[in-house]
């Protein structure tokens, strides 16, 4: 059970891994058709490709045809008698992905970034529409004329004359410092 | 370069373990005898750890489940197993007539080394006699270390 939960959680982000787990976990076929099956028989030993758990509960291909069976017989003898192709075939019988294949980079990040930008764009459109149709008219105090008069009044009142606002105004030459 | 045997002995700890005593946060009343509130369990030495695992895999009638359980547990630890442990495990694979698992073990320890690229060649170098004797090809020999 522990393996199940950690496996599921660890594979949440990787669609391929979930497919591999579900399709080959179900004892429907020897290779696994690599489609997502709706339910996995949890009472049976499962296969998994995990970096931190190298040897899963069952081999990848457990329904062996006659060539596989004869190869497995040959495996019982000295391994020096096996050719490279036979060794690779034995590995592929027992395991689905090699470690480099498990660690292959996926293109998922492009989907994620693309999805992010799409949502930013939609949000931008919503905000733009809102600015145009939802916001009430701006208060009259935002107008150019009013702002100018407001600044002049602030200078006349000597707002923050030492370090702040009026300190920036050159009263003698009637301009900003 | 040739790593001296002592360099990686007894097990290669990947995490910087640091000073254990400083991480204890259990409240401890300062008794007049100034005794520390650490666990009194005996800490297993690295040699004992190695010996235990070598013994585990050396069981003559080890079965497939025990091999799987042992390897999965060993790979779960925060360390790269010593060559002698791996040698014992590979011989267990031989007794079980399981070449695929032997190759898988080699892949797994290469992955366990993480960014430390010099550990795996050292392990292969140490295991070379066993690999030749048993006829185990490394993933590199079989071209399985690349996509």
């Amino acid at each position: 059970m522990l393996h199940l939960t950690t496996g599921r959680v660890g594979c949440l982000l990787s669609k391929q891994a979930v497919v591999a787990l579900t399709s080959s976990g179900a004892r429907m076929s020897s290779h696994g058709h690599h489609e997502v099956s709706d339910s996995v028989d949890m009472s049976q030993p499962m296969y998994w490709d995990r970096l931190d758990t190298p040897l899963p509960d069952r081999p990848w291909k457990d329904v062996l045809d006659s060539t596989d069976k004869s190869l497995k017989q040959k495996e019982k003898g000295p391994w020096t008698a096996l050719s490279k192709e036979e060794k690779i075939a034995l590995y592929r019988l027992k395991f689905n992905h090699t470690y480099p294949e498990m660690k292959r980079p996926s293109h998922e990040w492009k989907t994620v970034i693309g999805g992010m930008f799409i949502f930013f764009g939609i949000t931008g459109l919503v905000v733009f529409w809102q600015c145009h149709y939802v916001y009430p008219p701006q208060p009259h105090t935002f107008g150019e004329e009013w702002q100018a008069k407001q600044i002049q009044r602030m200078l006349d009142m000597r707002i923050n004359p030492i370090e702040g606002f009026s300190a920036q105004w050159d009263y003698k030459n009637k301009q900003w410092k | 370069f040739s790593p001296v045997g002592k360099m990686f002995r007894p097990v290669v700890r990947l995490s910087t373990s640091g000073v254990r005593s400083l991480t204890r946060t259990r409240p401890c009343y300062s008794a007049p005898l100034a005794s520390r509130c650490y666990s009194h369990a005996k800490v297993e030495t690295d040699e004992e750890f190695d010996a235990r695992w070598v013994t585990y895999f050396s069981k003559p009638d080890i079965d497939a489940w025990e091999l799987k359980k042992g390897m999965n547990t060993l790979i779960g630890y925060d360390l790269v197993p010593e060559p002698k442990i791996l040698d014992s495990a590979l011989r267990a694979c031989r007794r079980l007539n399981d070449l695929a698992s032997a190759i898988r073990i080699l892949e797994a320890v290469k992955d366990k080394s993480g960014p430390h690229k010099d550990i795996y060649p050292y392990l292969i170098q140490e295991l070379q006699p066993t690999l030749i004797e048993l006829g185990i090809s490394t993933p590199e020999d079989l071209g399985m270390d690349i996509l």
Side-chain angles (χ1 to χ4, degrees), chain B residues 19-137:
Chain B
V19 182
R20 291 188 197 192
S21 55
L22 291 175
T23 58
R24 297 281 172 182
T25 53
R26 214 180 309 173
C28 177
Y29 303 106
S30 49
L33 282 166
S35 59
R36 299 280 172 149
C37 292
Y38 300 150
S39 158
H40 293 292
K42 188 162 121 19
V43 177
E44 187 182 48
T45 66
D46 291 338
E47 292 81 8
E48 285 167 349
F49 176 89
D50 291 348
R52 189 161 56 84
W53 276 102
V54 169
T55 312
Y56 178 90
F57 285 118
S58 303
K59 188 174 147 195
D61 54 347
I62 195 172
D63 65 30
W65 185 92
E66 286 174 345
L67 172 70
K68 277 187 301 210
K69 176 67 182 169
M71 271 322 300
N72 291 340
T73 309
L74 190 59
I75 296 295
Y77 293 149
D78 181 23
L79 49 86
V80 180
E82 276 282 305
K84 55 169 138 24
I85 303 177
L86 296 174
D87 173 82
S88 190
L90 293 175
R91 290 185 188 281
C93 290
R94 175 64 268 192
R95 291 197 294 282
L96 289 163
N97 299 320
D98 192 352
L99 174 66
S101 294
I103 301 171
R104 189 74 154 184
I105 289 170
L106 294 175
E107 283 189 307
V109 298
K110 183 178 182 182
D111 180 60
K112 277 306 282 189
S113 317
H116 305 271
K117 299 284 179 220
D118 46 356
I119 297 180
Y120 180 69
Y122 165 72
L123 290 173
I124 295 296
Q125 175 198 309
E126 293 292 310
L127 288 170
Q128 205 58 266
T130 308
L131 295 177
I132 292 169
E133 180 196 331
L134 298 177
I136 300 171
S137 303

Side-chain angles (χ1 to χ4, degrees), chain A residues 3 47-58 72 75-80 82 84-85 87-88 90-92 94-105, chain B residues 65 67-69 71-72 75-76 90 93-105 107-108 110-112 132-137 141-147:
Chain A
H3 271 304
Y47 178 83
W48 57 72
D49 276 316
R50 281 183 64 103
L51 296 174
D52 59 1
T53 322
L55 303 178
D57 287 341
R58 71 165 176 87
K72 290 299 256 181
E75 197 183 12
K76 294 183 184 170
W79 292 338
T80 41
L82 294 166
K84 281 194 181 170
E85 290 74 23
K87 290 180 181 175
I88 294 172
L90 281 168
Y91 184 95
R92 290 291 180 186
K94 202 149 207 260
F95 301 108
N96 181 18
H97 287 313
T98 65
Y99 266 63
E101 285 166 8
M102 274 193 251
K103 294 166 84 162
R104 71 191 179 281
Chain B
W65 185 92
L67 172 70
K68 277 187 301 210
K69 176 67 182 169
M71 271 322 300
N72 291 340
I75 296 295
L90 293 175
C93 290
R94 175 64 268 192
R95 291 197 294 282
L96 289 163
N97 299 320
D98 192 352
L99 174 66
S101 294
I103 301 171
R104 189 74 154 184
I105 289 170
E107 283 189 307
K110 183 178 182 182
D111 180 60
K112 277 306 282 189
I132 292 169
E133 180 196 331
L134 298 177
I136 300 171
S137 303
D141 290 341
L142 299 173
M144 291 190 333
D145 58 325
I146 43 150
L147 281 171

Side-chain angles (χ1 to χ4, degrees), chain A residues 8-164:
Chain A
R8 288 281 160 164
V9 167
C11 291
L12 270 174
L13 293 174
S14 170
K15 281 184 274 195
Q16 292 110 328
V18 172
V19 167
L21 270 181
T22 50
S23 63
S24 45
R27 280 180 161 277
M28 310 282 280
S29 60
S30 53
H31 287 286
H33 294 303
H34 304 293
E35 309 131 2
V36 180
S37 50
D38 24 348
S39 66
V40 173
D41 186 359
M42 290 303 178
S43 65
Q44 300 299 318
M46 285 178 71
Y47 178 83
W48 57 72
D49 276 316
R50 281 183 64 103
L51 296 174
D52 59 1
T53 322
L55 303 178
D57 287 341
R58 71 165 176 87
W60 173 239
K61 193 179 178 201
D62 42 9
V63 178
L64 303 173
D65 61 24
S66 52
T67 37
D68 300 331
K69 286 191 180 140
S70 58
L71 190 57
K72 290 299 256 181
Q73 272 301 112
K74 203 173 170 194
E75 197 183 12
K76 294 183 184 170
W79 292 338
T80 41
L82 294 166
S83 70
K84 281 194 181 170
E85 290 74 23
E86 287 174 326
K87 290 180 181 175
I88 294 172
L90 281 168
Y91 184 95
R92 290 291 180 186
L93 280 180
K94 202 149 207 260
F95 301 108
N96 181 18
H97 287 313
T98 65
Y99 266 63
E101 285 166 8
M102 274 193 251
K103 294 166 84 162
R104 71 191 179 281
S106 79
H107 297 281
E108 192 183 7
W109 67 273
K110 295 175 193 167
T111 314
V112 171
I113 300 288
M116 273 169 58
F117 287 142
I118 287 170
F119 278 105
F120 291 160
I122 294 171
T123 310
L125 287 172
V126 169
V127 168
F128 177 76
W129 175 89
Q130 176 187 266
C131 287
H132 192 65
Y133 285 104
V134 176
Y135 285 178
Q138 266 199 344
H140 60 99
T141 52
F142 278 71
E144 278 286 340
E145 228 186 276
W146 186 284
Q147 284 285 316
K149 287 188 198 165
Q150 183 172 299
I151 290 171
Q152 183 57 59
R153 198 179 131 94
M154 282 168 76
L155 290 169
D156 294 341
M157 284 200 285
R158 304 292 194 272
I159 296 289
N160 294 337
I162 300 151
E163 297 271 355

